[in-house]
Amino acid sequence: MRFVNIGFSSVVNTDKIVSVVSPESAPIKRIVQMSKASSTLIDATFGRKCQAVIITDSEYIVLSALTPETISSRMEGRSDE
């Protein structure tokens, strides 16, 4: 089991991640609103602007203040900082 840091000491299990996307498109905004209504949204932005939406296989949606590129590089094990 591997975890990826998604910012502010929050981590997500990489085995559960289906995709990491930008929150700008209308379909992703609808997914976020639907998950908020069904209580499956996890907001890990700590008050910052949402830069990435992480979709998991267990239907949870995680919001992160890091960009999708940063999260992707952390998942691959590269250091971007």
Side-chain angles (χ1 to χ4, degrees):
M1 187 179 321
R2 270 188 54 214
F3 293 96
V4 62
N5 185 333
I6 60 167
F8 308 106
S9 299
S10 299
V11 294
V12 175
N13 185 351
T14 56
D15 297 334
K16 301 289 183 180
I17 295 175
V18 175
S19 71
V20 181
V21 294
S22 173
E24 302 302 317
S25 70
I28 299 302
K29 288 179 182 179
R30 279 193 295 272
I31 289 172
V32 169
Q33 289 300 319
M34 288 173 28
S35 67
K36 189 181 293 185
S38 65
S39 299
T40 57
L41 181 71
I42 300 169
D43 187 354
T45 61
F46 289 84
R48 306 269 169 84
K49 181 180 183 227
C50 177
Q51 298 283 329
V53 176
I54 302 168
I55 302 172
T56 66
D57 62 355
S58 57
E59 298 182 7
Y60 279 91
I61 305 298
V62 183
L63 304 180
S64 174
L66 298 179
T67 63
E69 294 81 13
T70 302
I71 295 171
S72 173
S73 67
R74 288 183 181 187
M75 287 175 64
E76 292 173 357
R78 296 189 316 246
S79 175
D80 60 341
E81 298 177 298

